[in-house]
Amino acid sequence: MINRHRVQALMRKDWRELARNKQVIAPLVIVPLMFVVIIPAAVLLLGNNSAALTTTVAGLQGFLDNLPEQALPAGYSSGQLMVYAVIVYFMAPFFLLIPVIVASLTASSSFVGEKERGTIEGLLYTPLTDRELVLGKVLASVIPSVLLTWASFLVYTVLVNTLGAALMGGVFFPTWTWAIIILALAPLVAFLATCLIVAISGRSTTMQGAQGTVVLIVVPVLALIAGQATGLMLFDTLIAGVAAAALLVIDVAVFVTVAGRFRREPIVTRL
């Protein structure tokens, strides 16, 4: 039986340490800012200039060439269709990259960071069970990454509807697919990435080594972005729903495996 109070105490401790780490806080602001403000603002401001827009956004022309006509609403002009395609489809996978990046920054220091701060021995000798220790470390990274993703989505929604209302003839965002992406896919991707990162962190001896290995976890998300950018794999409601169901099963399996294989004695010996 997992003791909720012990897990929450561990999470609060990790959040206090995270708030004091300026090297982690800065990227948590910069990365969402680029995806949520800079790119969509440029797209909407260049909405009536198709040539400038396809030149500015890398891979956009290939994406538009492969985008099925049925994916776009009828009655839009060419400029409106381009803006809709970018805001609704092209940008969707980037909102799965945000929780992965946040998790990689916070979770990669879970056990290695404790060692570098000289607190690992005290943590491993607490009454926390192995499963509680893993769960506390995972949730301490998942919750901030999901909240930051949701906050980024709210900013993105307000921004695109404010800047795009005149061009698009009113509010046009979000869609049902985005609801699934933000409410289901983002938390599930964050949980999966964090479980794997915590497992890696437990086997690493330095922060640099843990963060270097984390790149392997980011690669599948980057591949997803590349597939979306070329139009080869388009997020729609069906695909997003199937992906969420599959990820839920994978998340449970991965957490059970990571928690089941976690042993604090080798960490004490290694660190």
Side-chain angles (χ1 to χ4, degrees):
M1 180 67 69
I2 291 178
N3 187 302
R4 177 171 55 89
H5 299 291
R6 291 199 294 252
V7 172
Q8 290 174 343
L10 176 59
M11 292 163 56
R12 288 193 295 269
K13 179 191 76 68
D14 279 8
W15 288 338
R16 287 193 296 268
E17 292 168 350
L18 176 63
R20 292 194 293 264
N21 192 337
K22 295 180 180 179
Q23 292 181 334
V24 173
I25 295 298
L28 297 187
V29 176
I30 294 172
V31 172
L33 181 66
M34 181 175 63
F35 294 149
V36 172
V37 177
I38 297 176
I39 296 178
V43 168
L44 290 164
L45 292 175
L46 295 172
N48 288 319
N49 191 337
S50 301
L53 188 56
T54 53
T55 302
T56 303
V57 182
L60 177 57
Q61 188 59 58
F63 170 74
L64 295 172
D65 292 340
N66 291 285
L67 190 64
E69 290 186 8
Q70 62 269 24
L72 299 172
Y76 276 2
S77 67
S78 59
Q80 290 174 320
L81 288 174
M82 183 172 292
V83 168
Y84 186 91
V86 174
I87 296 301
V88 174
Y89 292 113
F90 189 81
M91 293 297 297
F94 288 97
F95 277 78
L96 297 181
L97 188 59
I98 292 175
V100 173
I101 292 176
V102 174
S104 69
L105 292 170
T106 58
S108 59
S109 66
S110 58
F111 291 111
V112 180
E114 297 279 1
K115 176 229 176 175
E116 295 184 350
R117 291 188 296 268
T119 58
I120 185 66
E121 289 83 2
L123 175 65
L124 294 177
Y125 288 121
T126 60
L128 285 160
T129 66
D130 289 346
R131 179 162 292 191
E132 290 170 350
L133 190 54
V134 172
L135 181 62
K137 287 293 186 181
V138 169
L139 292 181
S141 292
V142 169
I143 291 175
S145 67
V146 171
L147 292 178
L148 184 58
T149 302
W150 287 351
S152 300
F153 171 71
L154 290 176
V155 173
Y156 183 79
T157 300
V158 172
L159 179 71
V160 300
N161 284 316
T162 301
L163 294 181
L167 174 65
M168 305 299 290
V171 174
F172 68 101
F173 185 86
T175 64
W176 285 111
T177 300
W178 272 83
I180 298 174
I181 291 172
I182 297 301
L183 297 178
L185 278 178
L188 291 169
V189 166
F191 189 87
L192 176 60
T194 306
C195 285
L196 296 175
I197 293 167
V198 167
I200 291 170
S201 180
R203 297 175 180 271
S204 301
T205 57
T206 65
M207 187 83 72
Q208 291 78 8
Q211 291 177 340
T213 312
V214 163
V215 175
L216 299 176
I217 297 173
V218 180
V219 168
V221 181
L222 295 177
L224 182 64
I225 292 173
Q228 178 88 337
T230 57
L232 296 177
M233 199 208 75
L234 188 66
F235 264 117
D236 59 21
T237 306
L238 177 60
I239 290 177
V242 171
L247 271 175
L248 179 60
V249 175
I250 294 171
D251 279 6
V252 172
V254 169
F255 175 76
V256 170
T257 301
V258 171
R261 293 186 177 183
F262 177 81
R263 297 291 182 273
R264 62 185 70 197
E265 293 81 5
I267 295 179
V268 174
T269 303
R270 189 180 301 113
L271 298 182

